[in-house]
Amino acid sequence: MAGGRERALSERTLVCLLQAVQGQRTTVELRNESSAEGLIENVDGFMNISMSDVTFTKGNGEVMGFPTMFIHGRQIRYVQIPDFIDMRKAIDKQLSKIGNTRKVPARRMKRGGKT
């Protein structure tokens, strides 16, 4: 389960959209002009991505295969969202998952004892 800071980042940024892509094949383009195409296994609240069955293409066009790959969130330029994913529904679904894990704060008393 995500920690408080990670959960807050997920619900206040588009990381929740990337988390909805888990289990799908897509391409992640990196800041150094390279790209990784593979199955998204996990996306955390800091946008770090774990992938499997990866085809990695260097900026010079050299292609390499890797069984797994971890991509640090700061290195990501773009993530291609597959066309069949309804982005609005995906965001709503992820936000509802996050909302179900949050504790509802207790009501606070206003001055004078009124709620």
Side-chain angles (χ1 to χ4, degrees), residues 29-87:
E29 298 176 30
L30 306 178
R31 294 173 62 188
N32 65 358
E33 305 299 324
S34 60
S35 64
E37 187 272 325
L39 181 68
I40 305 292
E41 296 287 342
N42 187 45
V43 178
D44 69 16
F46 303 106
M47 206 165 49
N48 299 317
I49 298 176
S50 298
M51 300 176 78
S52 64
D53 190 26
V54 179
T55 301
F56 184 76
T57 306
K58 290 184 175 183
N60 64 5
E62 182 182 350
V63 178
M64 305 163 70
F66 295 98
T68 61
M69 180 175 280
F70 177 84
I71 301 173
H72 196 280
R74 286 190 229 160
Q75 299 305 315
I76 297 170
R77 178 175 288 157
Y78 300 109
V79 176
Q80 296 178 8
I81 306 298
D83 290 336
F84 62 86
I85 291 180
D86 181 336
M87 288 190 245

